[in-house]
Amino acid sequence: MKTYILIAKKEIKIALREKLVLALSSIILVLLGISLFTGVISYQQQQKAITKAQDEKRKEWLEQGDKHPHIAAHFGTFIFKPKTVLSLFDFGLDTYTGTSVYLEAHYQHQFMFRPAQDHNSMIRFGELSSALVLQILMPLLIIFLAYASFTKEKERGTLRLLNSQGVTLTSIAWGKVMAYFIILLTILTPFILGILLLSYWLKTPDTITDLGMRIGLLGTTYMAYIFLFVVLSVLVSLKSSVSRNALLTLLTCWILFTIIIPKTMANFGESLYPLPSMKIYKEGILKDKENGLDGKTPKAVRMAKLEKELLKKYKVDSVQQLPFNFEGVSMQAGEEYGDKVYDVHWGRLLNIFNKQNKLGSYVSLFNPYMALRNISMGLSATDLSASVDFQKKVENYRRIFIKKMNNDMAQNSNYGEFYEYSVGLDMWKSVEDFKYKTPSIYSTLKKYVLEFVSLFSWIILLILLLNYITRKTKLNNG
Amino acid sequence: MDKITKTIIRYEWRSFVRNKFQLLLLAIIFIFGMYAIYYGASVVNVQKKTISDVQKIEEDEFYQYQISFDEELNSVDAKRKRDIASNPSYAWFRHGYHAVLPPHNYAALAIGQRDLHPYYHRLTGMSLYYQLFENEIANPVKLYVGNFDLSFVIIYLFPLLVIAFAFGLYSIEKESGVLAFLRIQSISIRKIVVTRLLFYFMLITGLALLISLIGLLVLSNIFSNENFLAAVAWLAGVILYSAFWFSLMFLIISFFKSSAFNAICAAGCWLLFLLVIPAVLNVWMISKYPIDTTHLAELTRRTGLENENDEKEQTEVLSEFLEHNPKYKASDSLFNNNRYAKVYAAFTALKDSHSKKDVDAYNSQIGKRNKWVNQFLWINPAVNMQDAFTLISKTDLNTFLNYQSALTKFHKDITSFYYDRLFWDKSITQEDYSKRPVFKMKESNERWSMVLFSFLKIALILVLIGLVGFMKMKNS
């Protein structure tokens, strides 16, 4: 144990003397600072705009005046996607998912306004978030820190010197790993604590659940990722004959992991499971609403059937005699059928998305960067599943609110008296304001089992490998 | 070419051919290039297919309207069909026209923003903004990681190839002890370095040009009028960009440091140009010019009159409409016949002209962002090149902004076509169908000057860097 500490101490001292390492660490610190600063600013800007807009829409809804409930259902309202406080750390997909949606009767409108549309093509080079710095730049710092850890000793012959004093290769290796890890933790830990404080200080609308646990897990996962890269770099250095080769091997790995593989996989997923165009997708929904999901029960048939059933049930012979307004009931029935059709089509679409992204999950077993990227987005609730969850809850809200309008029409208005009937403020107030909360951390974690397995097995494998190789290697020709 | 240069090149070629690793690298990049072309083409083909589907739907729709004039009006259905075809009070919001932004023949090489912006719209006389903002379906994860197209291979991967081949040109000789032998030759070290760099420049640029040529040839005929300039510009861009990276490597080598230092330095530059600078600029821009789309959302709401039966409100709407459109003033039937349809049309038109302010403000904010960010392109040849590639293949933001203003114009044509008939109480005749509005988009006349300007910026930087390297090497 004592040798570990001794070696670690010496390594830290040497690393702190390296101008390159110092320069890079300061660059990373500065970038982390910038990313956090701009993250906070844009989080606050957007959150403010969204809250303001949402309040305005609520006011509009309440102050729409007296009208028929179905007209109100068409007047509808808007929902804006709130930012989660952790989006200041990891923007995730927020730039590429729509931000607002119009809710009205009969139609499921799509989310509009992807923030990336307000940019020129430079946005595709990425945005500086703290997550980006830690996921992509931090490994590079690690590589520069550790690529020469063994090759330099070999080139100078000091390795043999150490060995002759009875220090085993294993303890040298672990001493080095510990040293680098400690250096990196001193950068990372205050940063994670900063995020923790910031998010508790800033989280005004409480959209994100289990915040403390999410940040704790984020911190642990990022530490694991950093540890993994340290061990990998030391291992490569141990196996390389000269520093140059170690550096080139590590840089190649880095580029494959962070640039080439993620892009290829996403593109591959799209080619394997093609998406329909919006036009075709919407035509399909329209057609199924018109002709029935089985293609054999058109709208008129469905309505006639409903009418017959109700007449039979209430033992009357015309819709006018029913104890409620048939128009309201048939409106709701049409709405529910439309919802059913929509669920089928939307389900299919989500299924394609899932298949495309699942490919990425599988590949993350071989690529720790992708594993971390997915977990980080998931924990920050800026991933696709958070966005889908939000869409589902919004759609559910739409259904409840339309149902309320239709039920009121059925219960309180008379058949054929559309223009004579109206409701007012009390009715509008009875539709509660939309409040969003992200899914719990457990349901997020369940979606990323593969990714966690990936990071875990990478670490175990690398540890075993380092132990094995350091025991096996003989120093006579190194 | 003197004898020594020839000798250097001959030996360089020999050592290159013997190095299996280097050959493998080139082969991998070549395969990536082929895949990128294939992938880009597949994305664009899906879009082409969608466009032809959409156009087919429009043709069918209008065919139905036209044949309804020849049909006997002996059923309710036939009457209804004829009504939709000929009565402007239905037709103006029922007839759907498609505006499409067809991909440029070389869009597959640089997909740019084409996967992000809608490239077709079905427009009726209804409120423009109700129809404008719908997105195409896309997997956000895919949008986030971006496209593996040829522009990616050239802009991201080729510099790595340059770095891999050039970082050790001087330092490896030094580290392996060959340098001492070179020094005793009569030829200067600078000449050796420059010759060897030129050799690899030819080799790598040659590969990039080969891949690009394959792409250009496979996708379309490069000698056709609209393609030729684009193809030439693309190839010129490739040469320029490759030259930039070689001159940067020359500068790095001129410090005469170890090969590890060179590799780290070059990788650092790559990172700076392709990741750090654009990523910082993007977030800086977002906080400097925030864009709030929340009030645009309101424009997509379908609204009607407060009270459809209120005559006073109807008159107000019509009067305000006339103020904006005085040409209909002479229509004495305006307030009398078919009043509700006219009021509804007038209401929609008014709503659009009220909304225009918000949309213009939004567009001008985007314009400001672009202007601000363009100042920084000077320092970043990579983003600059990407910009030029998207300009060449018409997948840049400007093309989409142009398309949007063309859409606005088209929508105006559509509404006046129907309003002229609606407000003058004329029905739509079969002959009118040949006169119906057609979507037209003007070619941006700034495109080529912008491309040229981008090239000039890169050229300037590459010459500057090369000169500094040259001077440094001379002095040492």
Side-chain angles (χ1 to χ4, degrees), chain A residues 316-450:
Chain A
V316 289
D317 33 52
S318 78
V319 285
Q320 282 87 343
Q321 293 167 319
L322 285 169
F324 45 79
N325 185 351
F326 177 69
E327 289 164 320
V329 175
S330 69
M331 192 89 82
Q332 181 57 25
E335 192 71 39
E336 277 166 22
Y337 197 80
D339 294 346
K340 208 163 100 186
V341 170
Y342 180 76
D343 285 343
V344 169
H345 286 263
W346 196 37
R348 259 182 231 156
L349 194 64
L350 291 181
N351 198 17
I352 301 178
F353 283 162
N354 282 338
K355 276 187 190 158
Q356 292 184 345
N357 297 340
K358 198 78 206 165
L359 206 65
S361 289
Y362 286 126
V363 173
S364 78
L365 285 174
F366 306 96
N367 185 345
Y369 161 75
M370 278 168 86
L372 178 75
R373 186 196 72 187
N374 293 354
I375 293 173
S376 173
M377 275 187 208
L379 288 174
S380 310
T382 51
D383 60 338
L384 185 64
S385 71
S387 151
V388 168
D389 174 75
F390 178 71
Q391 290 179 45
K392 276 190 178 147
K393 285 176 179 157
V394 169
E395 169 60 12
N396 216 19
Y397 176 75
R398 188 191 73 86
R399 288 178 189 180
I400 292 170
F401 123 73
I402 302 294
K403 190 170 181 185
K404 212 161 216 164
M405 297 298 120
N406 286 335
N407 280 353
D408 178 77
M409 179 182 168
Q411 296 307 323
N412 303 324
S413 72
N414 295 324
Y415 190 84
E417 292 179 358
F418 191 80
Y419 291 105
E420 287 81 352
Y421 181 67
S422 68
V423 283
L425 187 60
D426 285 338
M427 184 68 210
W428 315 146
K429 270 188 185 159
S430 77
V431 177
E432 273 175 49
D433 202 2
F434 178 75
K435 286 269 178 288
Y436 178 65
K437 251 187 174 340
T438 60
S440 75
I441 188 169
Y442 303 106
S443 68
T444 308
L445 291 181
K446 256 194 275 171
K447 295 200 170 73
Y448 294 103
V449 173
L450 269 176

Side-chain angles (χ1 to χ4, degrees), chain A residues 57 60 75-76 78 107 114 117-118 120 124-128 140 267 270 278-279 282 356-357, chain B residues 39 113 115-116 120 134-136 139 148 156 271 279 282 285-286 297-298 301-302 362 369-370:
Chain A
K57 293 298 161 201
E60 253 176 44
F75 180 72
F78 290 85
Y107 307 101
R114 299 174 179 145
Q117 288 171 319
D118 317 330
N120 66 10
R124 308 312 272 279
F125 285 85
E127 291 165 277
L128 187 83
L140 217 58
N267 285 243
E270 198 185 55
M278 183 61 92
K279 183 89 193 166
K282 286 177 92 178
Q356 292 184 345
N357 297 340
Chain B
Y39 173 76
Q113 299 289 77
D115 55 346
L116 197 59
Y120 61 89
E134 190 169 76
N135 281 322
E136 184 50 87
N139 183 349
F148 201 107
Y156 278 78
L271 200 69
N282 276 329
M285 176 170 79
I286 290 167
E298 176 62 33
R301 178 182 256 159
R302 205 164 31 173
Y362 166 72
R369 274 185 167 188
N370 264 337

Side-chain angles (χ1 to χ4, degrees), chain A residues 265-288:
Chain A
M265 278 309 127
N267 285 243
F268 215 52
E270 198 185 55
S271 311
L272 272 181
Y273 309 105
L275 286 164
S277 71
M278 183 61 92
K279 183 89 193 166
I280 301 297
Y281 172 70
K282 286 177 92 178
E283 289 255 318
I285 294 178
L286 220 61
K287 224 163 102 190
D288 281 357

